[in-house]
């Protein structure tokens, strides 16, 4: 007994007490676009970007496409680009994910009164990997571990669509997974919501436009929340969902 107490004290608190106040060291999160003027005619960052996430004049980064590779930083001759460890990147509108020097943060997640009323005390989620690489899926798995412990907010991952209120979509939606995704969605009772997790789910990212994808599901069912990253940090997901449901941490 004493040994157990001693081990418990030496290990300290494992869970992150307030996810909104966390400071994940070494995490490459929100890009920062400085105010320095670009070199005339320069397109080095856009040329270096493997996913077409950068638009020019003025420089803008689409978090829904960005895979956080960092290649644009050394490519820039003006030192205009850098990365912070800010993980609060989720947004309720796709357009809210575009950053620029004059718009340095993603649009804040809008609290949904309807969703808060319905799911604020209990939200069960079914995860579907629609052709993902397993990066996003691993981070979704981490949501329920002792560090992030999303279940303390009444949010949990469930095995059956029949028990789910929300679909956590990862991967670019390959044609081979499109039917399975529809079957899962059809098996979920109304009301229900979609959460798009990771650059592939949000935009297709490096696979955008590939003939092997079928993204028509997202044309019919707009996500209630976009969680960018490659893969997203679990804290990005936790804080995005808490904000969406108006839950304090
Ligand atoms: S960090 Fe994002 S914006 Fe920069 S090159 Fe990589 S994908 Fe493109
Ligand atoms: S941000 Fe840097 S690399 Fe991109 S266009 Fe401006 S100067 Fe060139």
């Amino acid at each position: 007994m004493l040994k157990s107490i001693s081990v418990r004290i030496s290990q300290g608190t494992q869970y992150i007490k307030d996810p909104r106040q966390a400071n994940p060291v070494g995490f490459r999160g929100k890009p920062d676009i400085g105010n320095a003027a670009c070199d005339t005619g320069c397109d080095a960052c856009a040329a270096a970007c493997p996913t077409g996430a950068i638009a020019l004049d003025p420089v803008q980064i689409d978090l829904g496409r960005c895979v956080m590779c960092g290649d644009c930083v050394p490519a820039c001759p003006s030192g205009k680009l850098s990365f912070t460890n800010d993980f609060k990147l989720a947004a309720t509108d796709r357009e809210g994910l575009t950053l620029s020097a004059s718009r340095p943060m993603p649009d804040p997640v809008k609290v949904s009164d309807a969703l808060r009323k319905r799911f604020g005390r209990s939200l069960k989620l079914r995860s579907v990997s629609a052709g993902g690489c397993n990066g996003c899926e691993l981070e979704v798995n981490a949501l329920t571990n002792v560090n992030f412990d999303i279940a303390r907010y009444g949010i949990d991952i469930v095995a059956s669509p029949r028990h789910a209120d929300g679909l956590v979509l990862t991967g670019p939606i390959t044609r081979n997974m499109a039917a399975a995704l529809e079957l899962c969605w059809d098996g979920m009772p109304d009301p229900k919501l979609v959460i798009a997790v990771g650059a592939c789910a949000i935009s297709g990212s490096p696979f955008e436009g590939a003939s092997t994808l079928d993204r028509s599901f997202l044309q019919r069912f707009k996500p209630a929340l976009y969680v960018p990253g490659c893969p997203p940090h679990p804290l990005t997901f936790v804080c995005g969902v808490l904000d969406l449901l108006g839950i304090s941490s």
Side-chain angles (χ1 to χ4, degrees):
M1 178 69 174
L2 284 176
K3 191 176 171 197
S4 298
I5 293 172
S6 147
V7 168
R8 178 71 184 81
I9 291 171
S10 71
Q11 286 181 338
T13 300
Q14 297 298 304
Y15 73 101
I16 299 168
K17 282 187 180 167
D18 185 349
R20 289 187 174 97
Q21 303 303 321
N23 181 28
V25 176
F27 172 63
R28 186 182 290 149
K30 186 183 75 63
D32 197 40
I33 303 171
N35 286 313
C38 291
D39 289 6
T40 307
C42 180
D43 67 351
C45 56
C49 180
T51 63
I54 300 182
L56 300 175
D57 302 321
V59 176
Q60 299 173 66
I61 296 180
D62 177 3
L63 290 177
R65 289 196 172 94
C66 178
V67 292
M68 313 286 183
C69 65
D71 287 359
C72 49
V73 175
C76 174
S78 304
K80 190 176 166 73
L81 305 174
S82 59
F83 278 83
T84 70
N85 71 341
D86 189 346
F87 56 85
K88 290 180 199 132
L89 307 176
T92 30
D93 294 308
R94 178 71 182 85
E95 303 72 35
L97 294 174
T98 299
L99 307 182
S100 65
S102 61
R103 191 181 176 188
M105 302 294 295
D107 285 355
V109 171
K110 292 178 201 144
V111 180
S112 165
D113 287 335
L115 293 178
R116 176 170 55 182
K117 194 171 169 193
R118 184 71 74 159
F119 301 124
R121 286 163 30 126
S122 173
L123 177 67
K124 304 302 172 198
L125 301 168
R126 175 72 164 91
S127 169
V128 174
S129 172
C133 69
N134 244 10
C136 289
E137 292 79 358
L138 283 170
E139 302 302 339
V140 169
N141 281 346
L143 292 169
T144 53
N145 73 18
V146 70
N147 292 107
F148 304 106
D149 190 21
I150 200 170
R152 75 184 116 152
Y153 302 109
I155 304 164
D156 215 345
I157 307 292
V158 294
S160 168
R162 299 284 185 206
H163 302 158
D165 310 304
L167 173 72
V168 175
L169 169 64
T170 54
I173 316 184
T174 57
R175 277 194 286 158
N176 287 345
M177 281 302 296
L181 177 64
E182 295 275 352
L183 278 174
C184 179
W185 179 250
D186 291 346
M188 291 169 52
D190 289 318
K192 50 192 172 183
L193 66 147
V194 180
I195 301 175
V197 174
C200 288
I202 294 172
S203 68
S205 198
F207 311 107
E208 194 171 358
S211 60
T212 46
L213 301 187
D214 176 359
R215 293 177 54 78
S216 57
F217 176 84
L218 287 175
Q219 285 158 13
R220 283 173 286 124
F221 305 107
K222 179 184 176 294
L225 188 70
Y226 297 90
V227 183
C230 184
H233 199 294
L235 288 167
T236 308
F237 186 101
V238 174
C239 291
V241 175
L242 293 185
D243 288 348
L244 181 70
L245 299 179
I247 299 173
S248 54
S249 50

